[in-house]
């Protein structure tokens, strides 16, 4: 499944199995240890540059969103995409550049939060140094992302030059 990795197949791309704790009951609190979570290289069909995705948690009957840590090398970025139930990004390192179709790109720094409503065509990634964010992505009808075309190098460079820094 190349639709944003199973809780997210987010940016993340091809996982069909479950995560740690999946076979446990949902009638108690569970702690999933850091080294028990799946981590993988971002698929080149939905990322440009080196990207690493670590699944933090999956959606459940009582939690309608999944979470992943996405780490970008300098100038790496996602493809254009939309989320049927929206997405929230928490920048954890560096500067994340993000752009909504038809708008200037913006930069968010460590500690900033990017909120993207449902069905907004956008992309995000790193500028000229490594950067990362935690992505919280909602589900609607079992789906959390619709991957579209890659952001071209030319469009990425134009976005970098025209960026608004907040």
């Amino acid at each position: 499944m190349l639709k944003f990795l199973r809780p997210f197949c987010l940016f993340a791309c091809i996982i069909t199995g479950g995560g740690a704790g999946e076979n446990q009951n949902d009638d108690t609190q569970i702690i999933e240890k850091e080294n028990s979570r799946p981590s993988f290289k971002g698929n080149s069909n939905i990322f440009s540059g080196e990207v690493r995705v670590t699944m933090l948690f999956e959606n459940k009957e009582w939690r309608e969103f999944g979470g992943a840590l996405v780490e970008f090398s300098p100038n790496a970025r996602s493809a254009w995409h939309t989320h049927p139930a929206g997405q929230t990004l928490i920048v954890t390192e560096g500067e994340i550049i993000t752009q909504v179709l038809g708008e200037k790109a913006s930069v968010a720094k460590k500690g900033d939060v990017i909120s993207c409503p449902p069905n907004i065509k956008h992309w995000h990634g790193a500028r000229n140094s490594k950067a990362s964010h935690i992505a919280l992505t909602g589900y609607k009808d079992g789906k959390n992302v619709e991957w579209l075309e890659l952001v071209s190098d030319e469009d990425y460079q134009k976005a970098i030059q025209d960026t608004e820094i907040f």
Side-chain angles (χ1 to χ4, degrees):
M1 114 180 9
L2 201 169
K3 293 250 184 221
F4 214 45
L5 193 66
R6 190 172 153 182
F8 259 41
C9 239
L10 163 75
F11 313 100
C13 321
I14 314 176
I15 280 189
T16 55
E22 183 172 284
N23 295 324
Q24 298 179 11
N25 295 330
D26 280 341
D27 60 355
T28 188
Q29 178 173 285
I30 296 171
I31 297 174
E32 296 179 37
K33 297 296 185 178
E34 181 177 8
N35 61 358
S36 71
R37 297 187 291 260
S39 180
F40 53 91
K41 181 179 177 182
N43 185 304
S44 63
N45 290 328
I46 58 175
F47 290 105
S48 297
E50 295 294 317
V51 177
R52 181 133 211 95
V53 179
T54 302
M55 299 313 303
L56 300 176
F57 56 86
E58 297 188 26
N59 66 316
K60 294 190 173 272
E61 184 177 310
W62 50 268
R63 180 174 58 214
E64 296 179 357
F65 61 96
L69 172 64
V70 184
E71 300 169 283
F72 297 92
S73 64
N75 304 308
R77 60 210 178 259
S78 73
W80 287 99
H81 59 282
T82 63
H83 300 281
Q87 182 180 60
T88 300
L89 305 175
I90 304 164
V91 181
T92 57
E93 179 181 7
E95 295 180 339
I96 295 291
I97 183 169
T98 184
Q99 184 176 27
V100 170
L101 183 64
E103 297 180 11
K104 277 186 154 189
S106 299
V107 171
K109 298 179 181 185
K110 182 178 178 178
D112 292 346
V113 175
I114 302 165
S115 298
C116 188
N119 303 312
I120 301 294
K121 185 175 180 179
H122 69 286
W123 63 269
H124 33 92
R127 290 184 18 150
N128 55 5
S129 63
K130 68 180 187 172
S132 61
H133 61 61
I134 293 174
L136 305 173
T137 306
Y139 279 78
K140 183 174 181 181
D141 300 325
K143 190 174 179 181
N144 67 354
V145 67
E146 178 71 32
W147 288 109
L148 304 167
E149 69 277 6
L150 291 173
V151 176
S152 70
D153 290 341
E154 179 181 58
D155 287 344
Y156 174 76
Q157 289 304 322
K158 184 175 182 341
I160 291 287
Q161 292 170 1
D162 297 340
T163 298
E164 293 182 10
I165 299 177
F166 295 93

